[in-house]
Amino acid sequence: EGFGHVGNEGFFGYGNSPEILNVGMFSQDSDATLEIEIGGYSPGPGVPTDDGYDQINVSGQASLDGTLQVSLINDFVPVLGDTFDFLTFGTLSGSFAEVTGPFGFGGGNLYFEVVEQPDRLQLAVAEVPTGQALHVSTAATTRMEEGIQALADYSDRLLSDLLLSKAELTS
């Protein structure tokens, strides 16, 4: 098995025909882009043709950085809950600095989320929170921010009290 490498502002992709790449090691530089095309549910070209998705199988170390670009091809539209194992590995170091690609497909509220498993990375179709889910998420964030602010205020009061009671600390 060979060595896969994306670097020097390189762009690694297959061009509207999903493939499977098997390598021993894989490395992606910070200025490189890995394109993963999704046109169906099976890894590789699929049956009859071009109705699969790109997959890279690394038997050893996969070292990641740079950009992951996800592209939907051949009018394929995945649904909520679909997952695509696009990178398998023996060991993994690093992560993609940026993920780009379809956002708002399906009913306009779906996107891809990168999910790390012990031996693979998946693209999972997730839903943008709306309505009650968005409210719960926003409310939880607000409560967390309020809690952090209360801790900061309490810390400031303690420091102020300490400095007032111990004048020698200010000199």
Side-chain angles (χ1 to χ4, degrees):
E1 293 184 338
F3 179 78
H5 180 259
V6 186
N8 298 327
E9 299 182 22
F11 190 84
F12 186 76
Y14 300 108
N16 285 354
S17 182
E19 299 289 336
I20 295 176
L21 175 66
N22 297 304
V23 295
M25 304 290 278
F26 181 83
S27 176
Q28 180 166 325
D29 294 345
S30 62
D31 57 354
T33 298
L34 171 64
E35 181 182 19
I36 296 295
E37 297 170 326
I38 299 177
Y41 290 107
S42 60
V47 177
T49 59
D50 298 338
D51 65 349
Y53 64 91
D54 289 330
Q55 184 180 66
I56 300 174
N57 298 306
V58 183
S59 60
Q61 173 79 29
S63 300
L64 304 179
D65 202 346
T67 300
L68 170 65
Q69 179 180 320
V70 181
S71 300
L72 291 174
I73 60 170
N74 304 326
D75 300 321
F76 178 71
V77 180
V79 297
L80 182 63
D82 285 349
T83 59
F84 303 88
D85 296 338
F86 72 96
L87 178 69
T88 66
F89 48 81
T91 58
L92 178 68
S93 68
S95 62
F96 296 106
E98 181 179 11
V99 178
T100 64
F103 186 90
F105 59 89
N109 61 337
L110 300 179
Y111 69 99
F112 284 108
E113 195 171 67
V114 177
V115 177
E116 183 177 334
Q117 301 291 346
D119 62 346
R120 67 192 178 282
L121 291 181
Q122 297 176 316
L123 287 166
V125 178
E127 185 174 27
V128 176
T130 58
Q132 182 63 30
L134 180 60
H135 175 71
V136 168
S137 174
T138 302
T141 301
T142 300
R143 282 194 307 274
M144 185 173 61
E145 289 171 350
E146 289 170 351
I148 290 169
Q149 185 60 51
L151 282 172
D153 292 345
Y154 181 69
S155 179
D156 287 345
R157 282 194 312 274
L158 284 175
L159 180 59
S160 177
D161 291 348
L162 179 63
L163 291 175
L164 287 174
S165 68
K166 301 284 185 180
E168 66 271 9
L169 293 176
T170 60
S171 41

